[in-house]
Amino acid sequence: MSPTMSSATQPFKSIRDLPLKGKRVLMRLDLNVPLKEGKVADTTRLTAAKPTVDYALAQGARVILMSHLGRPKGKVVEAFRLKPVGETLRREFGWTVRIASDCIGPDAETQARALQPGEVLLLENLRFHPEEEANDPAFAKRLAGLADCFVNDAFGTAHRAHASTAGVTAYLPSAAGFLMGKELEALGRIRKNPAHPFWLILGGAKVSDKIQLIDQLIDQVDGILIGGGMQYTFFAAQGIGVGNSILEKDHLETARQILAKAEAKGVRLLLPLDHRIAKEFKPDAEQRATEKPGVPDGWEGMDIGPKTAEAYVKLLQEAKTVLWNGPLGVFEMEPFAKGSRAIAEALAGLKAVTVIGGGDTAAAVNRFGLTDRMTHVSTGGGASLEFLEGKTLPGVEALKG
Ligand code: AMP
């Protein structure tokens, strides 16, 4: 992860533009990691946030970290305390990490005042207070009161206008961290000047989640490859049987409109040629590949079939830009991960800009051990989708001042 952002290429300040020596730097990170039996089960988000904190510490800053964890809905929930995260940061990164019992109030204030240069103070879960998600100005001011400046490196929550992502910027000199910069640069390249041929790969459960993305990108892409659960709405819209496969009956017309739009614009929109189907939604259910498009009654489409994977991989060979959003099958079950794996392996071998749109697709690529082989794997699911849909992100807008 290289800290490449400069204020010359972004309309807001980078952490590099802030004087940090001796300063108290309030940093919003996305430390919303999965926990298992009270321990951090996956450190991907911690590793992604590390360069910005390391940089600030090396500059002699006193770093005050804040994040949400889970969905405690404005109340203290013991299972969502950030203590295990603090312990992991200490152990894995060797930082001196103090842990506050709340994110505002006397303990946080005393510990922030006592913090020494080169040390880290981790505030307790922001979402224990309803004022965080309500973007309450008084709450934001109390957070801001702990520090001299603010750095936002939580790209994953940049699509939310919360006190810790937007509110605090009213009270402190503010800048973006390296992860935020890297995300905006990589996704911005897709939005602005993608090299052609540009292929969009879409999967995931629902077509309704991807309509805006298709609308935004249809004028830029050369082709769209469809897979995942969303394909069945396209098939049903054309009168092709889908058996018990996941289907959005309310969106048949939407699917028809997308097909018509792609045809009118000369964009190749490809649907699977075959499917891997199962009798039940289980990894060990009776299963087979179909000969042709469509799912027989009594069966459920679980993954793209081998002919489809081969055809898609072949088409991708010519790509210069690929954006992939949504797994092509139920990748969480090994027998139905083959399609997504074939695509991920093909992307890993391309001489092209390959961008993975976060969330489940990032989890799939990670599962295949191919994260490092992509140009960029976004750490923000919802945020990356909204950014690519052309929306402005409140957490990013707030940094523009
Ligand atoms: P999304 O969050 O929209 O990208 O959807 C991701 C989810 O879609 C994953 O949990 C996949 O298991 C699921 N998915 C992919 N293909 C299928 C399918 N054929 N049937 C049901 N769910 C699927």
Side-chain angles (χ1 to χ4, degrees), residues 5 12-20 23-30 49 51-53 55-56 61-67 144 147-155 157 164-166 168-169 172-181 395 399:
M5 184 183 57
F12 45 79
K13 280 191 179 142
S14 153
I15 185 173
R16 286 188 190 282
D17 302 321
L18 293 177
L20 297 178
K23 302 283 188 211
R24 285 180 177 77
V25 183
L26 183 64
M27 231 182 243
R28 176 56 159 106
L29 302 182
D30 181 2
T52 304
V53 180
Y55 173 79
R62 309 162 203 252
V63 177
I64 304 171
L65 301 182
M66 55 178 177
S67 177
D148 304 304
C149 60
F150 169 65
V151 170
N152 190 350
D153 212 22
F155 179 73
T157 44
S164 67
T165 60
V168 287
T169 63
L172 290 174
S174 303
F178 298 133
L179 176 63
M180 181 75 96
L399 294 176

Side-chain angles (χ1 to χ4, degrees), residues 106-161:
D107 182 49
E109 285 162 18
T110 310
Q111 294 217 52
R113 262 198 307 272
L115 198 64
Q116 295 303 303
E119 290 183 352
V120 174
L121 171 64
L122 175 62
L123 302 180
E124 186 52 281
N125 196 337
L126 292 158
R127 292 193 189 165
F128 284 177
H129 294 265
E131 295 90 340
E132 158 64 355
E133 290 182 83
N135 194 9
D136 178 84
F139 178 75
K141 197 172 177 186
R142 291 187 77 183
L143 290 171
L146 299 171
D148 304 304
C149 60
F150 169 65
V151 170
N152 190 350
D153 212 22
F155 179 73
T157 44
H159 57 317
R160 307 274 181 238

Side-chain angles (χ1 to χ4, degrees), residues 44-99:
T44 307
R45 285 191 168 150
L46 308 187
T47 309
K50 185 173 181 282
T52 304
V53 180
D54 275 340
Y55 173 79
L57 293 174
Q59 299 291 308
R62 309 162 203 252
V63 177
I64 304 171
L65 301 182
M66 55 178 177
S67 177
H68 71 287
L69 178 67
R71 294 191 176 158
K73 303 203 172 128
K75 291 193 307 274
V76 175
V77 176
E78 290 302 321
F80 293 135
R81 286 205 179 274
L82 276 161
K83 192 166 172 242
V85 174
E87 286 165 353
T88 305
L89 294 176
R90 244 181 232 145
R91 195 180 55 244
E92 299 287 322
F93 302 157
W95 300 337
T96 302
V97 182
R98 305 185 185 285
I99 300 176

Side-chain angles (χ1 to χ4, degrees), residues 204-205 209-210 228-229 232 246 281 301-302 326-332 360:
D209 289 343
K210 308 285 155 81
Y232 306 108
I246 185 171
F281 196 79
M302 302 291 278
L328 301 181
V330 186
F331 76 98
E332 297 93 338
D360 283 310

